[in-house]
Amino acid sequence: MENLTGYLNSDIEAQRAVAAASLSAMLESKKPEKPAAVTEIVGHLAAKNSDQSAIVNIHADSVIKVILSGLEDNSSAEGFTNIAPVEAMKSLNRILPVIEHSRIQDDVMSFAMRLRPFFESGNPVIRATAFALFGSLAAVVEKQTVKETFVQEIHNVMVILLLHLNDENTDVSSTTRAIFKLLLPLLKSESLNNAFSYPEGVAYGRHLRLICSCLGSEYAEKIPMYLNLVIGYFRSESATLRANAALLAGNLLAQASNSANPDT
């Protein structure tokens, strides 16, 4: 690894290509045991995505396949017995700012949908990392068809995002609040923008009322789906999640009632 990385910046195209191909093969065949080594290789390969050489780009692109395979390993959802998914999420978050967005459009939804199990993790570090990555993915969406699909995915995970705005771990709740700033441009809702412009100190119950009011006025057709999803959290092992679910369900029911009977 140490010998190869030096050749990634060589003036000779063949040397850059061989170095990128070798590092890529290392990741695909036998991942380094140290997480830092994985992150280092991913970072080097990600930087080569903007290389002027097409052959270098092809080998550098394989880092995306490696990250996808890492996210498919859910064995660490409740801990760190296997660090592959956590390192995969951190690595992708690291390369998104430097990779050409047009080259990752077809993979965005694959990444986004693989994050769902990690939203439910009992480990707060994994939850925060997954939420942060979901927001980062929203920020790189450019292709219109991908935008439309990603917006639907936002609605699919809206309930769990709202529940974790009041996570028992402050890092998770802060991260969840922060990513809404990245999701809102895709939703194109001025009222939701206003709802999330409130200071962090606002009471969770009051904040939910504001958000649900916006959802009821702009996405009334989604309320039944939200309600079906939130019911599943009534039996959560987390007392905080159960309480949050009850508050969210109450506010959603109010919106459903208002939608059915405007004069109520």
Side-chain angles (χ1 to χ4, degrees):
M1 279 175 51
E2 292 175 0
N3 289 329
L4 285 168
T5 53
Y7 289 101
L8 287 173
N9 296 316
S10 171
D11 292 333
I12 302 172
E13 179 184 20
Q15 291 183 348
R16 298 199 307 276
V18 171
S22 300
L23 289 170
S24 172
M26 285 182 183
L27 285 177
E28 292 192 65
S29 61
K30 185 178 181 181
K31 297 181 179 63
E33 294 180 358
K34 295 181 180 179
V38 177
T39 303
E40 182 182 355
I41 293 179
V42 168
H44 284 306
L45 290 176
K48 292 292 99 181
N49 272 275
S50 57
D51 196 284
Q52 294 180 348
S53 167
I55 188 66
V56 175
N57 283 335
I58 289 172
H59 291 300
D61 272 347
S62 65
V63 71
I64 300 299
K65 297 178 183 177
V66 174
I67 293 175
L68 277 170
S69 66
L71 289 178
E72 288 172 353
D73 185 348
N74 295 335
S75 59
S76 69
E78 296 304 326
F80 287 104
T81 55
N82 187 331
I83 51 80
V86 180
E87 288 305 313
M89 288 188 284
K90 289 181 179 179
S91 296
L92 183 56
N93 231 339
R94 181 181 176 183
I95 71 172
L96 283 177
V98 298
I99 197 171
E100 292 181 18
H101 294 173
S102 61
R103 301 178 65 179
I104 199 175
Q105 295 303 297
D106 292 337
D107 296 304
V108 166
M109 289 312 304
S110 293
F111 283 123
M113 299 189 72
R114 281 173 169 81
L115 290 177
R116 287 193 198 178
F118 302 107
F119 292 167
E120 308 279 359
S121 173
N123 190 308
V125 174
I126 296 177
R127 292 200 302 277
T129 304
F131 287 139
L133 179 54
F134 189 73
S136 297
L137 288 169
V140 303
V141 170
E142 294 177 346
K143 195 175 180 180
Q144 185 57 38
T145 54
V146 180
K147 280 185 180 181
E148 294 170 0
T149 309
F150 199 93
V151 167
Q152 182 56 49
E153 183 63 11
I154 293 174
H155 287 295
N156 291 339
V157 299
M158 180 67 75
V159 164
I160 193 165
L161 292 177
L162 294 178
L163 293 177
H164 285 285
L165 280 175
N166 188 41
D167 195 282
E168 52 198 2
N169 181 280
T170 55
D171 287 340
V172 176
S173 57
S174 296
T175 299
T176 308
R177 183 184 178 91
I179 71 165
F180 267 103
K181 295 179 181 178
L182 300 171
L183 303 179
L184 290 175
L186 291 177
L187 294 175
K188 298 179 180 179
S189 168
E190 185 176 346
S191 61
L192 278 175
N193 275 320
N194 293 334
F196 279 96
S197 66
Y198 275 68
E200 263 191 65
V202 66
Y204 178 62
R206 182 184 178 191
H207 202 190
L208 272 187
R209 284 196 298 274
L210 290 169
I211 296 169
C212 289
S213 177
C214 298
L215 293 175
S217 61
E218 299 202 32
Y219 302 105
E221 75 282 0
K222 302 289 186 184
I223 298 298
M225 179 185 75
Y226 296 154
L227 281 167
N228 285 333
L229 291 172
V230 77
I231 289 173
Y233 293 94
F234 287 173
R235 295 184 179 180
S236 170
E237 293 181 3
S238 166
T240 301
L241 272 185
R242 293 198 302 274
N244 293 349
L247 278 172
L248 179 55
N251 282 287
L252 290 172
L253 282 170
Q255 294 306 314
S257 175
N258 290 338
S259 175
N261 301 289
D263 296 330
T264 300

